[in-house]
């Protein structure tokens, strides 16, 4: 077994780059390649390709509300962002949703398989838990998320996620406000309380990934 440390030296046009730079290039190109494949596959074919996974996730998720006895549990991700304010970000982000910008919606997270916001209700296929789930997200007032701290954010955007048969399986609340250290974002999703732990933790990281990419997109355009 070779125990020597691997040391790679990369020089391009006389400039030396470390491993981090090469890995960042790989990540950027992987995102571009994955987004291209999603766009070429298209929504209808994507539904067909993932049909067995979606049937399994439907069956698993549909049982959770009754098994939870009406109780819900939150998963929360908080972000502070310097360099952009709430108005600039929201103008960009809500514009992407309203315009059905497939590139921005699909590229925000590698596990965004489908995101169709063209009909008002957003049809989404993304990983929740251990595999892809298809649900329909409607943004509306009066979402029943009673966690403390909502009064600190002037902009609150709530919604309800339902399976194709109408079963409510998620509640979301996206909150935005400007603070002394920059834009403050609090992202909350609720699932039935008896959902497995990895469903909650996984979506905290899912939020962090997609909103980081959306923030970068909004900042670049601004």
């Amino acid at each position: 077994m070779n125990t020597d440390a691997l040391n790679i030296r990369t020089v391009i046009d006389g400039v030396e780059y470390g491993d981090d730079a090469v890995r960042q290039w790989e990540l950027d190109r992987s995102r571009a390649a994955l987004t291209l494949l999603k766009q070429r596959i298209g929504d209808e074919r994507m539904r067909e390709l993932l049909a067995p996974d979606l049937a399994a996730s439907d069956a698993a998720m549909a049982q959770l509300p009754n098994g939870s006895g009406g109780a819900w549990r939150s998963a929360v991700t908080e972000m502070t962002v310097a360099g952009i304010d709430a108005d600039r970000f929201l103008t960009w982000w809500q514009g992407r949703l309203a315009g059905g910008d497939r590139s921005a919606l699909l590229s925000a997270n590698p596990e965004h398989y489908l995101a169709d916001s063209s009909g008002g209700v957003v049809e989404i296929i993304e990983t929740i838990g251990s595999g892809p789930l298809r649900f329909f997200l409607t943004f509306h007032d009066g979402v029943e998320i009673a966690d403390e701290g909502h009064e600190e954010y002037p902009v609150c955007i709530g919604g309800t996620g339902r399976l194709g048969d109408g079963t409510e399986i998620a509640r979301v609340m996206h909150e935005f406000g400007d603070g002394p250290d920059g834009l403050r974002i609090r992202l909350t999703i609720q699932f039935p309380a008896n959902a497995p732990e990895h469903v909650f933790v996984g979506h905290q990281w899912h939020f962090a990934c997609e909103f980081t990419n959306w923030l970068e997109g909004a900042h670049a355009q601004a």
Side-chain angles (χ1 to χ4, degrees), residues 83-93 178 183 218-222:
I84 192 169
D85 60 24
D87 182 66
R88 285 168 60 194
F89 174 69
L90 288 168
T91 297
W92 182 90
W93 179 60
D178 294 316
L183 167 60
H219 184 263
Q221 187 176 77

Side-chain angles (χ1 to χ4, degrees), residues 129-143:
S130 58
L133 177 74
R134 183 188 186 199
F135 63 100
F136 299 84
L137 178 62
T138 303
F139 291 107
H140 61 91
D141 296 332
V143 176

Side-chain angles (χ1 to χ4, degrees), residues 100-112:
D101 186 337
R102 289 174 54 83
S103 179
L105 298 176
L106 291 175
S107 64
N109 191 301
E111 294 181 313
H112 282 181

